[in-house]
Amino acid sequence: MTKALDGVRILDMTHVQSGPTCTQILAWMGADVLKIERAGVGDATRGQLRDIPDVDSLYFTMLNHNKRSLTLNTKSDKGKEIFTRLIEECDVMVENFAPGALDRMGFSWERIQEINPRMIYASVKGFGPGPYADCKVYENVAQCAGGSASTTGIEGGVPLVTGSQIGDSGTGIHLVAGILAALYHRTHSGRGQRVECAMQDSVLNLCRVKLRDQQRLAHGPLKEYSQFGEGKDFGEAVPRAGNDSGGGQPGRILKCKGWETDPDAYTYFITQAAVWKNVCDVIGKPEWKEDPDFAKPEARLPRLNEVFGTIEDWTKTKTKFEVMEICNPLNIPVGPILSMKELVEEESLRKTGTVVEVDHPERGKYLTVGNPIKLSDSPSDVVRSPLLGEHTDEILRDVVGLSDEEIKIAKEEGAI
Ligand code: COA
């Protein structure tokens, strides 16, 4: 079976997380991803957060599957020559260096277009044009600058970052969409184009419901926020809302049986209006179905603490899985809080390839997250990440067209 991106070659100048997330997805979809790294150094994450001495870290392996690694010093004359050949041979170049790094190497967008007008040049940067355009940015900075931290946490408490890597991986996924659109556009324009994603913009895009609420605030309190029912005034900006649902159906995280000792014995419970009567029956409050204080969604909004307190009295008598078994057939949307331990043990995720065991020549077997995007005619196999420079010779020979003698000279000159 062919892969969706068979025949697409990616010049992968990415490092750390945001860029590698993007190129890993393209590789899973079948693109030939050539990861350029500095000899003896490589992507900094190879050595970060190591669990086994001298072995590529899980941080690196889990973000660089299905790629080939080529070491190249793109600042040396010979290295620049080889890099130019690679630009000629590739369809897409992806990079997430600090602003200006590629220009300093001598490969501005204008120069890249001269070398290969069909090249799609995709970049991640921390910020778009403006006062912060030159800043280096990591995940949590993006979460803070993109509106996530100010709206995450408990009302009145400190801003919080989330465990989801929405700044890095979130931006990488946005970049994939841009690259695929540019590839499609090239099929009729014949030309490449520049694709840019700023981490601040991507986080803000993922936080768009909070920008929605910022504008609603001008027209009165946000009644579905718990603090409304608690009689607390709203300030000028969207507040942190704990575990309140971000949508139109109120929801909260509630304790389940065992919560006293198990930090993950909780469920998310949504009081969807359409199934309110089912909720009343399940929690033993059938009288709420007709009670004017509880029967209609609008009437419940100032009483959400009482509503969820009563539901929690019921969920505390059940495990999080029992809550799901009881509520699902009644169309009540609930979800157990699953720990990472529970997720890696979940059989169904293994079956769909979302959690995959990979064998690595130096570290042995480890678990990773497979491609969450499932294509019926282009399934993804997860291939272990490359060792540093593992494919240098074959890429120089087969893609760049160097002879064995030329490869030897390039090595002697320190270009690879
Ligand atoms: N050959 C020669 N030089 C190379 C090279 C190669 N193969 N690969 C990289 N380099 C050089 C770069 O040209 C750059 O040199 P310069 O500073 O002289 O121009 C240098 O290595 C380091 O690049 P830089 O991106 O500045 O790395 P850093 O470790 O200092 O910063 C980040 C890391 C992530 C903060 C920064 O890259 C960044 O802000 N990236 C954009 C936002 C982003 O993606 N952040 C999230 C990361 S998950």
Side-chain angles (χ1 to χ4, degrees):
M1 206 179 268
T2 60
K3 298 275 173 24
L5 294 182
D6 265 350
V8 174
R9 189 169 277 150
I10 314 278
L11 184 48
D12 182 4
M13 297 289 286
T14 69
H15 65 156
V16 201
Q17 186 181 164
S18 64
T21 299
C22 165
T23 51
Q24 178 168 257
I25 292 175
L26 298 170
W28 278 332
M29 290 178 170
D32 181 15
V33 175
L34 314 180
K35 185 173 174 94
I36 312 296
E37 300 179 84
R38 272 176 294 181
V41 184
D43 187 326
T45 60
R46 285 188 187 266
Q48 283 173 1
L49 309 175
R50 273 189 175 144
D51 52 335
I52 304 173
D54 303 326
V55 168
D56 285 339
S57 70
L58 286 167
Y59 194 9
F60 176 83
T61 55
M62 292 176 72
L63 286 161
N64 289 285
H65 293 107
N66 299 53
K67 303 180 185 177
R68 298 199 278 168
S69 169
L70 159 75
T71 53
L72 188 65
N73 179 359
T74 52
K75 285 182 175 160
S76 72
D77 288 344
K78 186 75 191 166
K80 281 186 207 261
E81 228 176 84
I82 294 171
F83 193 56
T84 304
R85 280 285 301 126
L86 285 165
I87 294 174
E88 284 167 356
E89 293 300 323
C90 290
D91 300 281
V92 182
M93 174 160 150
V94 190
E95 61 90 17
N96 67 311
F97 289 128
L102 254 292
D103 297 67
R104 286 192 288 278
M105 273 179 208
F107 293 93
S108 62
W109 171 222
E110 291 71 28
R111 175 77 191 115
I112 291 166
Q113 279 174 296
E114 269 170 28
I115 301 168
N116 179 359
R118 287 175 59 78
M119 173 63 82
I120 290 157
Y121 174 26
S123 308
V124 170
K125 295 289 167 258
F127 294 92
Y132 307 117
D134 291 335
C135 297
K136 291 190 175 187
V137 169
Y138 282 106
E139 172 68 48
N140 288 348
V141 175
Q143 287 199 25
C144 293
S148 178
S150 78
T151 53
T152 304
I154 303 295
E155 191 267 323
V158 295
L160 290 182
V161 294
T162 106
S164 307
Q165 304 289 283
I166 56 176
D168 280 340
S169 290
T171 308
I173 295 163
H174 279 85
L175 198 67
V176 170
I179 290 169
L180 296 180
L183 276 169
Y184 177 69
H185 191 246
R186 197 181 71 171
T187 60
H188 44 273
S189 73
R191 291 190 60 78
Q193 60 184 301
R194 231 192 136 167
V195 180
E196 292 176 288
C197 280
M199 295 167 76
Q200 181 185 42
D201 300 9
S202 301
V203 171
L204 183 56
N205 184 36
L206 296 173
C207 289
R208 67 173 49 226
V209 298
K210 298 297 179 181
L211 183 54
R212 171 200 68 193
D213 291 350
Q214 181 63 39
Q215 295 170 87
R216 290 173 61 224
L217 205 46
H219 301 278
L222 305 169
K223 292 186 181 172
E224 77 284 8
Y225 280 50
S226 298
Q227 77 176 74
F228 171 70
E230 291 160 5
K232 295 179 190 160
D233 288 339
F234 285 79
E236 288 183 350
V238 172
R240 295 183 264 292
N243 292 313
D244 291 347
S245 160
Q249 310 287 345
R252 295 238 186 124
I253 288 185
L254 304 177
K255 291 170 181 159
C256 292
K257 198 171 175 177
W259 66 274
E260 299 90 338
T261 52
D262 176 355
D264 295 308
Y266 290 84
T267 186
Y268 203 90
F269 197 108
I270 298 178
T271 54
Q272 199 190 349
V275 291
W276 174 244
K277 290 186 175 170
N278 293 349
V279 174
C280 296
D281 286 334
V282 159
I283 64 171
K285 278 282 183 189
E287 64 275 22
W288 276 2
K289 289 192 271 189
E290 308 303 332
D291 185 332
D293 279 351
F294 294 94
K296 294 272 182 298
E298 192 68 17
R300 291 195 288 276
L301 290 177
R303 301 178 177 80
L304 289 180
N305 278 359
E306 187 182 349
V307 167
F308 284 110
T310 308
I311 299 173
E312 191 171 61
D313 288 340
W314 176 75
T315 56
K316 280 198 304 203
T317 69
K318 311 279 175 226
T319 69
K320 60 190 177 187
F321 298 110
E322 287 167 346
V323 170
M324 204 166 182
E325 274 159 32
I326 295 167
C327 291
N328 269 356
L330 300 170
N331 290 326
I332 303 170
V334 292
I337 306 307
L338 294 179
S339 67
M340 277 297 146
K341 180 172 182 298
E342 287 167 323
L343 285 164
V344 300
E345 289 164 358
E346 175 60 49
E347 267 311 302
S348 63
L349 295 177
R350 300 290 181 108
K351 285 201 179 113
T352 57
T354 298
V355 175
V356 188
E357 190 175 79
V358 185
D359 206 357
H360 186 276
E362 291 181 343
R363 72 163 34 256
K365 290 189 175 17
Y366 65 95
L367 287 180
T368 193
V369 185
N371 189 358
I373 307 165
K374 319 288 186 200
L375 273 70
S376 64
D377 284 0
S378 181
S380 304
D381 316 305
V382 179
V383 178
R384 71 160 174 88
S385 59
L387 302 175
L388 180 58
E390 184 175 345
H391 306 96
T392 299
D393 286 13
E394 71 179 44
I395 294 170
L396 290 179
R397 204 175 41 239
D398 303 342
V399 181
V400 180
L402 295 192
S403 65
D404 288 347
E405 185 56 23
E406 286 169 318
I407 295 173
K408 199 166 143 250
I409 294 168
K411 265 184 200 153
E412 282 162 8
E413 288 180 12
I416 51 179

